[in-house]
Amino acid sequence: MSVEGTWDLSISTPVGRIKAVVTLRRVAGVLTGTAEGAGQEVALREVTVHGDRVAWKQAVTRPLRLNLAFDVTVDGDALHGVSRAGRLPSSQVAGVRRTAPVSPAADAPAGTAETA
């Protein structure tokens, strides 16, 4: 099962719900990625896949400076799991994979795309 793609995450934390966007991709055969949220973009570290489980670590500075560890299970275009930040209680994570938008030009035969 491929875990690559752009994922819209919702993280239920003790201080409220946080939205984030995680992008996972393979570069030279290695799974890597980034996370965006709270006005910052950070690289994912130690991204691993074991069957339908994906884990990664990331450091954030907003709203607090934290080192986060995610462990989620992917089921098609949905995921769920937990995020941990040190001694703080774990937070529930849920997400959906974005589907690539299809433009009219993508469906048209070569050389016949309509222009506006």
Side-chain angles (χ1 to χ4, degrees):
M1 164 184 308
S2 173
V3 299
E4 296 174 60
T6 301
W7 296 85
D8 291 311
L9 301 185
S10 177
I11 307 162
S12 298
T13 74
V15 295
R17 189 171 305 272
I18 296 173
K19 301 286 186 184
V21 177
V22 167
T23 302
L24 296 168
R25 61 192 168 281
R26 288 207 182 271
V27 176
V30 177
L31 191 60
T32 184
T34 58
E36 296 178 55
Q40 64 182 328
E41 180 176 329
V42 298
L44 305 183
R45 301 184 330 270
E46 301 177 36
V47 182
T48 60
V49 178
H50 297 286
D52 60 356
R53 289 183 62 187
V54 182
W56 71 86
K57 295 180 181 178
Q58 68 186 72
V60 297
T61 58
R62 288 182 233 149
L64 300 169
R65 184 177 302 272
L66 296 169
N67 290 311
L68 305 173
F70 285 79
D71 187 355
V72 299
T73 300
V74 175
D75 182 11
D77 289 330
L79 63 75
H80 64 278
V82 295
S83 170
R84 291 183 180 85
R87 295 181 182 171
L88 296 175
S90 63
S91 298
Q92 294 299 308
V93 178
V96 294
R97 186 182 343 228
R98 291 183 183 175
T99 56
V102 177
S103 68
D107 291 333
T112 63
E114 296 180 24
T115 56

